């Protein structure tokens, strides 16, 4: 089977993640959908690495997972901070950066 | 055999992703995300990326998801300030299913006779995807980005400490 199966799956996972970011209102779930989108990009990286016989895609995936880990650490710290200020995680309430 | 494994775990990954965006409770969403990440790790094994699959399990499904679950539970889950919902989510998810159908159809049309259609050349014997191969390219060709990654993590650590400290004051 060819690599295009993996790329179609990656596109579908990305669409689900993007849809979740747009539709959901809970800030935690929005962050999870961001992770979903990064994960689908990782799948495409590894699929291309296999198709081209080049391991650069694996290195890219390591970089991407590092960025995801850093992003989630900062994002969750911000989330806890927002929750202690606002007592809510509804993103419709977050209209100002300065609380 | 490989095709069967691919379709089973692709379906599991997609089902997990759909469950992430359709549960009300953030803990259920986090556990569904673990399902997606583990299924993706199995797909990485199918793509001969063994080291990447282990990294995926350890870092993503282990560390990052623990961080998510810890934060959700830290914020006292019982309050309905955490479990609230957008209106008529079922309708929205069904719209998403139609979009997915179109995406899958047109994406598969686009890949139908592309250059990627050629048979996958590498085999397991070449050491493709092994720890040695990934580590060699990480520490020779991509040494500078690899070192800059540590700067990124340092910045993230300092940022988190700064945010947490401001909250304590």
């Amino acid at each position: 089977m060819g690599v295009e199966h993996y790329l179609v799956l990656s596109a579908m996972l990305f669409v689900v993640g993007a849809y979740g970011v747009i539709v959901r209102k809970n800030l935690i779930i929005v962050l999870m959908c961001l992770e979903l989108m990064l994960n689908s990009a990782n799948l495409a990286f590894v699929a291309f690495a296999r198709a081209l016989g080049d391991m650069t895609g694996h290195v890219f995936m390591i970089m991407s997972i590092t960025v995801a880990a850093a992003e989630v650490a900062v994002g969750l710290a911000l989330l806890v901070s927002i929750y202690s200020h606002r007592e809510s995680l509804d993103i419709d309430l977050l209209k100002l950066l300065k609380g | 055999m490989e095709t069967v494994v691919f379709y089973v775990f692709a379906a599991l990954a997609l089902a997990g992703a759909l469950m992430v965006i359709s549960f009300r409770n953030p803990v259920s969403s986090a556990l569904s995300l673990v399902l997606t990440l583990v299924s993706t790790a199995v797909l990485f094994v199918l793509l001969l990326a063994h080291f990447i699959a282990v990294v995926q399990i350890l870092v993503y499904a282990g560390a990052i998801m623990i961080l998510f679950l810890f934060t959700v539970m830290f914020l006292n889950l019982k309050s309905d300030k955490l479990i609230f919902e957008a209106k008529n989510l079922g309708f929205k998810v069904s719209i998403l299913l139609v979009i997915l159908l179109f995406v899958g159809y047109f994406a598969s049309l686009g890949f139908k006779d592309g250059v990627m259609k050629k048979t996958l050349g590498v085999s397991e014997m070449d050491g493709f995807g092994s720890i040695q191969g990934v580590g060699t390219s990480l520490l020779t060709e991509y040494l500078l980005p690899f070192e800059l990654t540590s700067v990124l993590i340092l910045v993230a650590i300092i940022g988190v400490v700064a945010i947490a400290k401001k909250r304590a004051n």
Side-chain angles (χ1 to χ4, degrees):
Chain A
M1 57 185 290
V3 74
E4 72 274 8
H5 293 78
Y6 294 94
L7 295 177
V8 170
L9 176 66
S10 165
M12 286 176 146
L13 285 176
F14 190 89
V15 167
V16 173
Y19 192 84
V21 169
I22 294 169
V23 164
R24 294 302 302 253
K25 291 184 172 182
N26 197 329
L27 194 51
I28 302 174
I29 295 181
V30 169
L31 275 177
M32 284 182 204
C33 291
L34 282 178
E35 294 299 312
L36 211 54
M37 288 157 79
L38 284 166
N39 192 52
S40 79
N42 288 341
L43 186 61
F45 276 139
V46 179
F48 275 120
R50 171 83 196 272
L52 302 173
D54 185 356
M55 287 219 282
T56 308
H58 294 191
V59 178
F60 271 45
M61 192 271 186
I62 302 246
M63 299 295 166
S64 148
I65 215 171
T66 317
V67 172
E71 171 245 319
V72 98
V74 177
L76 288 175
L78 281 173
L79 187 146
V80 171
S81 178
I82 287 171
Y83 186 76
S84 62
H85 271 283
R86 297 292 186 99
E87 292 288 311
S88 172
L89 288 178
D90 192 343
I91 56 175
D92 285 348
L93 297 177
L94 304 173
K95 288 175 183 154
L96 293 174
L97 278 178
K98 188 174 181 183
Chain B
M1 178 62 192
E2 194 189 333
T3 316
V4 175
V5 175
F6 171 78
Y7 278 113
V8 168
F9 282 95
L12 276 179
L14 207 53
L18 286 171
M19 286 190 310
V20 169
I21 67 163
S22 53
F23 275 130
R24 293 177 73 238
N25 192 330
V27 173
S28 313
S29 287
L31 294 177
S32 316
L33 190 53
V34 171
L35 174 66
T36 300
L37 296 175
V38 171
S39 313
T40 317
V42 174
L43 295 181
F44 287 161
V45 173
L46 278 186
L47 285 168
L48 298 181
H50 302 284
F51 176 59
I52 293 297
V54 173
V55 167
Q56 169 95 355
I57 298 270
L58 283 182
V59 177
Y60 245 127
I64 294 182
M65 294 319 296
I66 290 288
L67 207 56
F68 262 113
L69 280 176
F70 181 78
T71 312
V72 174
M73 293 180 172
F74 180 69
L75 296 176
N76 188 11
L77 186 71
K78 274 180 203 157
S79 67
D80 49 347
K81 287 162 188 155
L82 276 182
I83 306 176
F84 57 87
E85 203 28 68
K87 292 190 180 70
N88 46 29
L89 195 65
F91 176 65
K92 288 175 177 169
V93 172
S94 56
I95 291 178
L96 173 66
L97 287 176
V98 176
I99 297 174
L100 272 186
L101 206 64
F102 278 100
V103 167
Y105 178 67
F106 286 112
S108 62
L109 274 192
F111 291 126
K112 200 159 191 170
D113 41 24
V115 77
M116 285 301 146
K117 188 71 180 176
K118 69 184 183 208
T119 42
L120 303 172
V122 291
S123 72
E124 225 162 326
M125 297 301 151
D126 305 334
F128 182 81
S130 63
I131 298 177
Q132 190 186 359
V134 177
T136 303
S137 55
L138 204 58
L139 289 178
T140 55
E141 199 176 350
Y142 297 97
L143 183 61
L144 181 64
F146 178 68
E147 295 294 343
L148 287 179
T149 301
S150 56
V151 177
L152 174 73
I153 292 180
L154 183 66
V155 169
I157 291 171
I158 294 174
V160 169
V161 169
I163 293 168
K165 204 171 178 193
K166 205 164 92 184
R167 195 175 136 253
N169 285 340

